[in-house]
Structures are given as C-alpha cells and as structure tokens.
Amino acid sequence: MMLNLELYLVTDEAACLGRDFFWVVEEAVKGGVTMVQLREKSLSTRAFIDRAKRLKNLLESYNVPLIINDRVDVALAVDADGVHIGQSDMPFQTAHRLLGEGKIIGLSAEKQSDVIEAEHWNLSYLAVSPLFATPTKTDTEQPWELDGLQWVRQQSRHPLVVIGGLHTGNAYEAVLNGASGIAVVSAICSAPSPREAAKELKKAIQDAILWP
Ligand code: TZP
Ligand code: MG
C-alpha cells in the first residue's frame, strides 16, 4: 500500500461530541483523510481489538491504512497496516522484529535527542509532536513551533508528520516548513461536519504541496 501522509486522522471518541465513532471516521475518510490512527488509552484489550477489527473492515473498503497507537499486540491481532509508537512505548527494533517487513512504523519525536536517535531507524515517518500547544493533549513536552519544525527538517531523513493544534488556518504553513502531512484529532473529530473539515484541510495541504 502506497503511504500517503497528507491528512492523518488520529481518533479520540471523546472528541466526537457524542456522535457515532464509526460515522465520524467514515465521513472523514469521504472528505479525504489518507491515514487513520486508532488511539485508545482506556479501552480493555478485548474492546480495543473489537474496535480495531471493525475499523479495519471500514477502512479497507476505502483503501486507507489503519495504524494502531502504542499497541503492537493489537496491530498484530487484527493485521493492521502499522503502528505508531511514542518514546515510552516498545522500542523501534522490537516493534519492527515483531511486525516483520512491510508494516508502517511511525514514531513521535518530542525533543531534539529523539530526532537524532530516530536517524538509526527505518521509520515510515517521524511525528513532530506537539507542533503547537493543544487542549487535546496537555501532558506534552514544549511545542516545537515552526522554527523547531525547520530544525527537524534539516536533521532528519524521514518524512515528517506534524501533530498538535493543527487546523485549516495553519496546515499550509506547516507543510511549507517541511511537513509531508498533518495529523489531527479535534479539527476533524469535533468539527460540525467531519467530511467538510477533512476536505478543507486537504485543500490547504495540497495548496502548500503545489506551492508556488
Ligand atoms: N499527540 C501530540 S498532540 C496530540 C497527540 C495525540 C493531540 C492532537 O490533538 P489536536 O486536537 O489535533 O490538537
Ligand atoms: Mg504512545
């Protein structure tokens, strides 16, 4: 499967404003989301796997990859397309050994030393996290901001995804400063129309990619 990082939806049911989780994701995909990460911090393993299976079925019909946050075991259990790991999750080499070749592995970089260390791994992408401060996740390191993103772009050979505080008003500048794509929770999950929100974000990203 060809990796298109442009518009990466990271799920959070609590951000969906009481609307059906699968409806929100499907609308977002219809609007142009290119990857989906299932991020569940409080489900039981059983419920996580059930949700991942259902999401995989849904996404397969749109040819959109399913990435599992943190949990390599859940990714293996449902044969997901890949995992997203953070600095306190399973190390890259271990995840790679368990998943085998051909799976997507993304890693979050929260500080400069994470970026330098990540040069050792054959990542599918590096997530610059958080790019901006966001109420969706407050237990973070200092936001990178655009100058930090420029620094990462110079240091890293990996495709970059930015996450944290992204919306239609700043997606363009994030891409101009080196991101291959943007990852969002609230800009899609909490939007009145997740489909329209995804369309507008996608347009902002593609405008920047086509620049000048
Ligand atoms: N990791 C870093 S920031 C963040 C995650 C999961 C939350 C991003 O949420 P939002 O609503 O797109 O700012
Ligand atoms: Mg994690």
Side-chain angles (χ1 to χ4, degrees):
M1 192 180 292
M2 199 20 219
L3 190 61
N4 180 344
L5 297 167
E6 284 175 26
L7 183 54
Y8 191 172
L9 174 65
V10 177
T11 67
D12 181 353
E13 189 167 26
C16 295
L17 311 176
R19 299 169 299 186
D20 180 72
F21 176 83
F22 295 97
W23 177 83
V24 170
V25 174
E26 187 161 11
E27 286 292 298
V29 168
K30 286 177 177 165
V33 159
T34 58
M35 320 242 290
V36 174
Q37 181 187 127
L38 179 57
R39 181 172 179 269
E40 294 293 350
K41 298 289 187 182
S42 53
L43 286 185
S44 67
T45 299
R46 178 78 58 92
F48 197 163
I49 288 174
D50 284 348
R51 176 163 285 201
K53 273 188 188 157
R54 204 175 141 189
L55 199 52
K56 191 188 165 191
N57 281 336
L58 170 68
L59 295 175
E60 259 172 7
S61 55
Y62 292 94
N63 258 305
V64 167
L66 170 65
I67 310 298
I68 303 293
N69 181 268
D70 293 352
R71 296 281 301 271
V72 174
D73 57 339
V74 172
L76 284 167
V78 306
D79 191 28
D81 298 287
V83 291
H84 181 89
I85 50 182
Q87 292 295 325
S88 52
D89 298 317
M90 192 179 279
F92 171 83
Q93 310 99 300
T94 314
H96 184 251
R97 181 152 42 79
L98 289 172
L99 288 169
E101 293 303 324
K103 294 293 185 185
I104 297 163
I105 305 183
L107 175 73
S108 290
E110 299 170 3
K111 54 188 187 303
Q112 292 192 339
S113 59
D114 300 341
V115 175
I116 304 300
E117 190 187 42
E119 286 302 283
H120 294 110
W121 322 129
N122 276 325
L123 298 174
S124 308
Y125 66 85
L126 187 67
V128 176
S129 168
L131 183 62
F132 302 123
T134 172
T136 307
K137 186 173 179 359
T138 51
D139 61 332
T140 64
E141 299 277 338
Q142 280 283 106
W144 287 95
E145 306 287 348
L146 292 177
D147 56 342
L149 172 59
Q150 287 169 7
W151 180 87
V152 180
R153 182 62 294 159
Q154 285 165 7
Q155 303 297 318
S156 181
R157 66 194 167 92
H158 301 305
L160 303 180
V161 170
V162 288
I163 183 163
L166 274 298
H167 53 72
T168 45
N170 57 21
Y172 184 86
E173 60 189 7
V175 173
L176 283 192
N177 284 281
S180 296
I182 71 161
V184 302
V185 177
S186 56
I188 289 179
C189 292
S190 305
S193 166
R195 191 195 300 214
E196 288 307 314
K199 267 189 201 160
E200 283 171 23
L201 284 161
K202 187 82 171 273
K203 184 175 185 312
I205 294 158
Q206 291 185 336
D207 283 350
I209 290 171
L210 295 174
W211 186 88

